[in-house]
Amino acid sequence: FNDKIAGCVSPATCIDILINTSDTISISSAIDPSGCGLSDGSITIDGLVAGTYNVLGGLASPIVVSGTSYTFSGLSAGYYSIGLENANG
């Protein structure tokens, strides 16, 4: 496998890279906390496959998904970046 980057070809240093090979995960629901300082907000994501996932981005990890969606609950106001990684990476 040869890869051409910026006009250069270097078969001796080629690397196979897989990006976004999984299905699309989407946010189906985002509920704001009911008041300032409260932690009763939630984010629900869809498009998952049942299994155990490590959560990247500071939320509780790991999570166990039994269907195709998962709800992160007990959230306070703020910005959340959610990345998931299953056993296959």
Side-chain angles (χ1 to χ4, degrees):
F1 174 82
N2 289 334
D3 197 7
K4 185 175 183 178
I5 300 174
C8 300
V9 176
S10 178
T13 59
C14 291
I15 300 171
D16 291 331
I17 299 173
L18 299 175
I19 301 173
N20 294 329
T21 60
S22 62
D23 294 328
T24 301
I25 296 173
S26 62
I27 296 173
S28 62
S29 172
I31 299 174
D32 292 332
S34 60
C36 291
L38 298 178
S39 298
D40 58 357
S42 65
I43 298 171
T44 300
I45 55 176
D46 286 329
L48 300 172
V49 175
T52 301
Y53 294 85
N54 287 322
V55 181
L56 314 172
L59 293 171
S61 185
I63 61 170
V64 177
V65 176
S66 59
T68 60
S69 65
Y70 184 83
T71 300
F72 294 93
S73 58
L75 303 178
S76 57
Y79 294 97
Y80 294 91
S81 175
I82 301 170
L84 300 176
E85 180 178 76
N86 65 12
N88 297 324

